Amino acid sequence: MHELSLVEAIARRIEADVAERGLQRVQRVRLAVGPLSGVLPHALDFAWRVRAEQPGPLARAQLCLEPTPVRARCLECGAQRTWEGGARLDFDQARAPDLDLDHCPRCGGGPLELVAGQELLILGYEAI
Amino acid sequence: MEIPLVEPVLKSNDRLAALNRQRLRQAGLFTINLISSPGAGKTTLLEKTIPLLRGLGRRSAVLEGDLFTTLDAERIERTETPVVQINTRGGCHLDAALVGEALEKLDLRALDYLWIENVGNLVCPAGYDLGEDLTVVVLSTPEGDDKPAKYTPAFLRAEAVVLTKLDLLSLSGMDVNRLRQTLRRINPQLELIPVCARTGEGMDRWIAYLEQQFQQRTAIDKPIPQTHHRGA
């Protein structure tokens, strides 16, 4: 449910940037979403559509979610491990049960340190 | 026209959280953010923890996050502890701005521990830094050992998990070993502390953990003592 306040934070940040650059209308906003960010993509989508019904530079703008993989680095041998689950961002289906930061498949040691997968980033936007 | 930004959605929250953290540390406070599902036992844990800390000479205050009502704040008040109620009016989590406003209502210099009891919700609070030193997930035995796998972000953020309601363990089907294994895969450094606030079981280990963390953090913040040069 915090997707509502996330969308508001995104909208305000972009509106401020649009005003600063003297742009008129935003067509598309790009967001990077990690499977471990705690965000439900469809809830984010829904909240965005409600927000984009309001008049203003974001009216009818699209929100594009770009899934990112989960990546971790072994603190012992430095090997990186990637969990590709990014295409399915649904929280219920996130790859968390597979996540194993305790054992490194290369050196058998560990632990591993999460280096990606928790992010929720505004990548940028397209505007005229 | 393509405009690149590349910045965290919660950047402004993170900035406010950093200000809270600086302010709290300057006042010498140790701050704990308690996250859990509704009914896991956050308030009961505090009702028992605060008097035990008081016995060690530590003064606590509580920021009580709830959607509505002052019921939990009233419970804390009965333990003669300063408490500030934060009603989010339907909001599912606390954020750094709400915490910053609430800090205005406390005499920070007269405190050692600041407890932030987040809104009962294992999902939404996980992304919001409040300026705390320690994040603790409170998980009760009836919730089951699958929660870390289902609600991973909260457990990634936390330094410790307090497993409450040990008196219900035999009725709950919770497998503590399986819970421990799941937690280790998700967050190998996580401390698991099983307690029963009602009977007092495990509370000594919880208090010892808190005091150890308290001393570690406050030692870092203290200015390095100047070397005393003795005369020849």
Side-chain angles (χ1 to χ4, degrees):
Chain A
M1 200 187 115
H2 65 307
E3 285 79 3
L4 282 172
S5 49
L6 294 177
V7 157
E8 200 47 44
I10 298 164
R12 285 193 193 167
R13 178 68 187 92
I14 306 249
E15 278 171 351
D17 200 72
V18 162
E20 216 171 276
R21 294 175 202 265
L23 297 164
Q24 300 299 316
R25 201 169 73 78
V26 176
Q27 292 148 315
R28 222 161 58 100
V29 175
R30 284 168 53 235
L31 211 61
V33 187
L36 299 173
S37 65
V39 166
L40 272 172
H42 68 257
L44 201 64
D45 238 22
F46 176 74
W48 180 263
R49 275 186 278 127
V50 173
R51 183 60 167 76
E53 278 171 15
Q54 286 180 27
L58 289 174
R60 292 183 303 281
Q62 273 192 323
L63 183 69
C64 300
L65 304 183
E66 302 187 8
T68 57
V70 175
R71 245 198 334 271
R73 193 179 64 88
C74 175
L75 292 177
E76 219 162 286
C77 74
Q80 286 229 0
R81 188 171 174 200
T82 304
W83 286 265
E84 292 288 351
R88 291 191 313 176
L89 268 175
D90 256 340
F91 203 51
D92 317 339
Q93 299 168 9
R95 316 262 59 205
D98 298 289
L99 195 66
D100 187 355
L101 301 180
D102 200 29
H103 298 105
C104 173
R106 197 174 87 173
C107 72
L112 287 82
E113 175 188 50
L114 214 52
V115 292
Q118 290 177 283
E119 56 283 304
L120 182 62
L121 296 173
I122 304 175
L123 293 174
Y125 64 95
E126 250 175 63
I128 47 174
Chain B
M1 185 181 358
E2 178 76 34
I3 315 281
L5 281 178
V6 195
E7 62 177 54
V9 167
L10 290 176
K11 189 175 167 190
S12 64
N13 183 75
D14 293 345
R15 202 181 300 136
L16 291 174
L19 290 174
N20 288 348
R21 184 168 286 116
Q22 190 184 11
R23 189 169 159 197
L24 290 163
R25 287 197 172 174
Q26 270 170 1
L29 256 84
F30 182 56
T31 306
I32 301 136
N33 179 7
L34 286 181
I35 298 179
S36 85
S37 322
K42 293 187 295 302
T43 312
T44 305
L45 183 67
L46 285 180
E47 284 174 318
K48 301 293 178 176
T49 303
I50 289 171
L52 290 173
L53 286 172
R54 191 178 295 145
L56 300 173
R58 304 291 190 206
R59 300 155 302 176
S60 296
V62 180
L63 304 185
E64 190 63 60
D66 278 299
L67 281 83
F68 301 102
T69 78
T70 53
L71 293 171
D72 283 356
E74 287 161 24
R75 284 174 61 187
I76 297 295
E77 234 163 19
R78 272 176 234 132
T79 68
E80 290 168 22
T81 304
V83 55
V84 180
Q85 177 75 54
I86 308 175
N87 279 134
T88 58
R89 293 174 190 280
C92 51
H93 58 273
L94 293 178
D95 62 36
L98 287 170
V99 168
E101 279 168 36
L103 292 182
E104 299 293 337
K105 297 178 188 156
L106 288 172
D107 178 9
L108 300 183
R109 301 258 162 210
L111 297 169
D112 302 300
Y113 279 78
L114 178 66
W115 297 90
I116 306 175
E117 185 178 335
N118 220 311
V119 178
N121 181 332
L122 206 43
V123 183
C124 306
Y128 292 83
D129 185 5
L130 305 178
E132 71 269 29
D133 293 305
L134 198 71
T135 306
V136 175
V137 172
V138 178
L139 180 73
S140 61
T141 51
E143 289 173 74
D145 47 61
D146 57 352
K147 288 299 163 292
K150 285 186 174 173
Y151 299 90
T152 306
F155 293 89
L156 284 171
R157 177 179 184 85
E159 277 89 10
V161 172
V162 176
L163 179 64
T164 58
K165 308 188 191 180
L166 267 189
D167 51 345
L168 299 180
L169 185 62
S170 60
L171 302 169
S172 69
M174 152 82 73
D175 181 336
V176 180
N177 275 332
R178 196 156 59 202
L179 174 71
R180 203 181 294 278
Q181 283 164 15
T182 312
L183 288 175
R184 192 164 296 156
R185 285 208 316 269
I186 289 171
N187 186 346
Q189 281 91 13
L190 202 62
E191 195 87 25
L192 176 64
I193 306 165
V195 305
C196 179
R198 211 191 299 175
T199 64
E201 188 184 353
M203 290 298 284
D204 47 348
R205 205 187 133 210
W206 165 230
I207 298 293
Y209 172 76
L210 286 170
E211 278 293 288
Q212 181 215 342
Q213 295 291 318
F214 175 91
Q215 275 157 19
Q216 259 177 30
R217 300 298 157 107
T218 43
I220 295 167
D221 294 336
K222 268 186 201 145
I224 300 155
Q226 276 187 343
T227 322
H228 187 70
H229 294 285
R230 288 185 187 190

